Amino acid sequence: MNVRDRIQQLKEEKGAVVLAHNYCLDEVQEIADFVGDSLALSIKASEVTEPMIIFCGVTFMAESAKILNPDKKVIMPEGDAVCPMANMCSASQLEDAKQARPGAKVVGYVNTSAASKAKMDICCTSANAVKVIESLKGEEVIFVPDQNLGAYVAEKAGVPMHLWEGFCPTHQAFTPQMVEDMKAEFPGAVVMAHPECRMEVLEMADMVGSTSQMLAYAADSKEKEFIVLTERGLLHRLRRDSPLKKFHVPEVAVCPPMKMTDQRSVLKALENEGPEVELDEEVLKAARRPLERMISLR
Ligand code: 13P
Ligand code: SF4
């Protein structure tokens, strides 16, 4: 039996659901039961009925699934797949920032550890960050950890915020010159950018959105060619959903931790029923509140 069929067999036998992020390898997206952006994955994780979740992506995503499903077995095939941005804002640094600005609300991008989430008032993703900030109705905000998403949202919502200095190395690597060169190579192509890109790059984009928002935009658009300023894993669904359109991503658009999980590691995780995501009870409880508050804004 091949790896794919064995995965299917074990999923059925064990009552497991496989969730995967839009940046995962094509071979992982193909065996997943659900593929989405961070927001859709959090919502899906809150609705899962199966007793076991196999989470393909990076640790902050699998931790969110565990926080929302404390009684389920949440398994991450590659437990060392950590988003570097999530490491740029530790719980103790966040505690210091809160002490320095008592009264300010902490809005945290989901790209953070569970321990940091436990110190937040509300979470957000790139898909709903403006809505989250608007829900706070002008309160003082500390926004962590992505300075680019924070600057974009502050401008969109017209609300000044205290920005953390974190960033995504993958999106930060896109430069205005790179975009200029791609526009020259593909004249007339629509430019879609993830809000983790630096502001000078976002200013060159026709559309700014989360990975799933880009998928919807490209599918609905009458245009036929797109420059896509996000991780190249998104190409799989872009091409599947819009087979007659052309998509181009920068050469450097690779997130290494997202590429760690493959079909073999998913199979191993199903066979071993591990490694499981394990979180401290207190952290788990405290981190649920900001995540649920975000999901309730839907
Ligand atoms: P999305 O929420 O748009 O899927 O993005 C997650 C992420 O990590 C982007 O780098
Ligand atoms: Fe983290 Fe960037 Fe990878 Fe997203 S693309 S998981 S923000 S390193």
Side-chain angles (χ1 to χ4, degrees):
M1 193 183 285
N2 65 30
V3 174
R4 198 186 171 118
D5 291 346
R6 181 77 182 125
I7 287 174
Q8 191 51 38
Q9 189 186 48
L10 283 174
K11 275 199 312 196
E12 285 163 25
E13 232 174 81
K14 303 199 179 207
V17 64
V18 177
L19 306 185
H21 186 263
N22 286 325
Y23 294 159
C24 284
L25 292 175
D26 296 2
E27 66 175 61
V28 171
Q29 296 194 35
E30 280 160 15
I31 52 96
D33 298 292
F34 182 81
V35 182
D37 67 1
S38 306
L39 179 61
L41 287 167
S42 293
I43 293 169
K44 189 74 191 170
S46 70
E47 296 169 346
V48 162
T49 50
E50 288 81 350
M52 190 187 291
I53 298 174
I54 307 289
F55 204 106
C56 307
V58 287
T59 48
F60 76 78
M61 297 176 176
E63 285 181 356
S64 296
K66 180 68 187 176
I67 292 163
L68 295 166
N69 291 279
D71 301 327
K72 291 192 201 298
K73 217 173 215 189
V74 178
I75 293 167
M76 215 191 144
E78 295 292 343
D80 293 333
V82 181
C83 163
M85 188 191 331
N87 277 346
M88 294 179 191
C89 177
S90 70
S92 64
Q93 287 171 315
L94 192 45
E95 184 55 43
D96 292 346
K98 283 172 60 153
Q99 301 284 339
R101 297 188 192 281
K105 299 289 176 218
V106 178
V107 179
Y109 193 24
V110 286
N111 298 36
T112 39
S113 67
S116 293
K117 284 189 180 75
K119 306 223 170 260
M120 293 172 188
D121 292 286
I122 184 165
C123 290
C124 72
T125 75
S126 54
N128 65 7
V130 174
K131 196 186 210 177
V132 167
I133 294 302
E134 287 173 348
S135 77
L136 295 174
K137 304 196 186 313
E139 288 197 74
E140 184 182 8
V141 169
I142 302 171
F143 188 91
V144 302
D146 186 6
Q147 58 185 326
N148 293 331
L149 176 65
Y152 171 75
V153 170
E155 194 184 289
K156 274 267 165 202
V159 179
M161 304 190 297
H162 305 290
L163 303 182
W164 205 259
E165 290 189 351
F167 61 92
C168 160
T170 305
H171 289 83
Q172 193 76 358
F174 306 155
T175 61
Q177 187 59 53
M178 216 178 257
V179 183
E180 273 310 329
D181 292 348
M182 290 183 82
K183 283 172 100 146
E185 193 179 350
F186 310 111
V190 176
V191 180
M192 301 193 294
H194 195 279
E196 287 177 12
C197 296
R198 50 179 98 208
M199 192 53 95
E200 312 89 90
V201 166
L202 294 180
E203 282 164 359
M204 298 170 82
D206 300 299
M207 178 270 177
V208 176
S210 77
T211 52
S212 291
Q213 287 168 341
M214 287 188 212
L215 284 166
Y217 185 88
D220 290 347
S221 172
K222 288 188 185 61
E223 302 298 329
K224 297 276 180 275
E225 193 162 18
F226 300 82
I227 292 168
V228 187
L229 301 174
T230 196
E231 213 274 346
R232 59 191 317 113
L234 191 64
L235 285 174
H236 182 66
R237 286 188 72 198
L238 282 167
R239 289 177 176 152
R240 194 200 60 193
D241 293 358
S242 307
L244 300 178
K245 297 181 181 177
K246 286 191 184 153
F247 299 98
H248 313 282
V249 298
E251 279 302 314
V252 293
V254 179
C255 169
M258 280 286 184
K259 304 305 184 206
M260 288 169 69
T261 310
D262 58 14
Q263 281 192 4
R264 289 205 168 271
S265 52
V266 173
L267 177 56
K268 205 165 142 211
L270 276 162
E271 284 169 346
N272 296 341
E273 297 192 17
E276 255 196 84
V277 175
E278 279 169 15
L279 294 171
D280 173 87
E281 269 307 311
E282 287 300 307
V283 165
L284 200 126
K285 242 169 74 190
R288 193 175 316 146
R289 198 179 16 86
L291 267 177
E292 285 183 342
R293 191 169 167 198
M294 170 189 82
I295 292 171
S296 74
L297 282 185
R298 216 169 1 145

